[in-house]
Amino acid sequence: MKTKLLVILCAVFGALQMNAQCARSGNFVQSDPAYNISGTANITFQTNGAKDVVFDANFMTVQGLDLRVYLSKQDDINATGADPIEVTTSALLGDNGMTSPVLSPITGMKTFPINQTTYPNVDLGTYDYIVIQCIGINERWSYANLGTANGPDCTTLSINKETLSESVSIYPNPANDRFEVSNDSQNELAVEIYDILGNKVIASEASRVKKQSFSLANLNSGVYLVQLKSKNQKVVKKLIKR
């Protein structure tokens, strides 16, 4: 058991752990017969808190007058209740690396990170459409209707609640003789601390306390792994003791 835990913790410590995912996907629908488009679009959440809009490698369209990408609650960003969020920071570039000429091809996989500072509360279950809008003529270029959530960690990545990695933090880090765990959402949280050999050196019962303080006075200087568990979610953070 200890060996198994050590393998898991070392994987985290070495930054080799894959970010588990939950995603909703849909195929692009052509809005205007004059502008070809095809391929699949996704909104993807990861356990490290990242949220992205992704066009798969099969994506294909043609250049327009300043094409932008939005998340929307309706298939038209100008519709009532659409509440659109722009996920592009500039116009889509063609395969020639330019925004011209019009009707030149745009193909291949593209990723648009959702700015968590500007849009901190994007809900995977609320935005049902990815829309491409031609800003130059204020016309919908295409949209994708997102299906149900799918992925190995959709249970862990709650659709309606922020992920555990977003709601808990440890500080200061590095720490001297004491550090705190901040549990902003006041979920029922259990804390366990391990050394790099996999030995559990500190543990606490699950608590909804917003801030918990832990003494490191009896521990040697070095690297420790703090495991934070709340129901079916788990986050491991690296802590340095000076």
Side-chain angles (χ1 to χ4, degrees):
M1 179 67 183
K2 181 177 175 181
T3 301
K4 182 179 180 181
L5 176 62
L6 178 59
V7 170
I8 294 172
L9 295 177
C10 286
V12 175
F13 175 67
L16 298 176
Q17 184 178 17
M18 297 295 290
N19 286 321
Q21 296 183 352
C22 183
R24 298 177 65 198
S25 303
N27 294 321
F28 277 113
V29 175
Q30 191 167 326
S31 297
D32 188 316
Y35 310 128
N36 293 330
I37 190 164
S38 60
T40 307
N42 314 268
I43 176 173
T44 301
F45 282 19
Q46 300 183 28
T47 51
N48 66 357
K51 302 173 182 179
D52 302 304
V53 169
V54 180
F55 294 176
D56 287 348
N58 62 358
F59 174 73
M60 185 282 297
T61 189
V62 290
Q63 188 62 254
L65 298 174
D66 197 350
L67 298 182
R68 302 296 182 114
V69 181
Y70 293 81
L71 280 176
S72 179
K73 296 178 181 178
Q74 304 290 338
D75 62 13
D76 186 339
I77 65 170
N78 294 315
T80 302
D83 296 332
I85 289 176
E86 184 180 348
V87 297
T88 41
T89 56
S90 60
L92 293 184
L93 297 178
D95 291 353
N96 59 4
M98 302 171 61
T99 57
S100 62
V102 174
L103 301 185
S104 60
I106 305 174
T107 61
M109 177 174 284
K110 304 183 187 305
T111 301
F112 310 98
I114 300 171
N115 189 312
Q116 294 300 289
T117 300
T118 307
Y119 305 111
N121 297 314
V122 174
D123 187 331
L124 182 63
T126 299
Y127 288 89
D128 294 326
Y129 298 91
I130 294 171
V131 178
I132 299 177
Q133 187 81 358
C134 185
I135 300 300
I137 55 176
N138 192 28
E139 180 180 348
R140 184 183 65 181
W141 202 256
S142 180
Y143 69 91
N145 186 356
L146 301 174
T148 57
N150 184 41
D153 289 87
C154 287
T155 301
T156 301
L157 286 167
S158 170
I159 290 176
N160 297 312
K161 299 178 182 178
E162 62 186 346
T163 62
L164 184 62
S165 62
E166 295 174 313
S167 63
V168 296
S169 59
I170 61 175
Y171 63 92
N173 190 12
N176 292 317
D177 291 336
R178 186 169 293 277
F179 81 102
E180 289 187 350
V181 174
S182 177
N183 179 15
D184 292 339
S185 297
Q186 293 186 273
N187 295 313
E188 193 171 80
L189 186 71
V191 181
E192 296 178 348
I193 302 172
Y194 297 85
D195 63 22
I196 59 173
L197 296 178
N199 299 306
K200 186 189 297 183
V201 294
I202 296 175
S204 75
E205 297 293 331
S207 169
R208 295 184 182 275
V209 175
K210 192 167 185 178
K211 290 184 179 179
Q212 295 185 68
S213 181
F214 296 88
S215 174
L216 301 173
N218 295 326
L219 299 181
N220 295 325
S221 298
V223 177
Y224 294 85
L225 297 166
V226 182
Q227 180 174 270
L228 308 166
K229 295 166 59 177
S230 179
K231 295 182 180 178
N232 59 352
Q233 298 189 58
K234 179 171 66 176
V235 173
V236 178
K237 296 180 180 288
K238 182 172 73 174
L239 172 68
I240 298 174
K241 201 251 177 170
R242 289 193 177 109

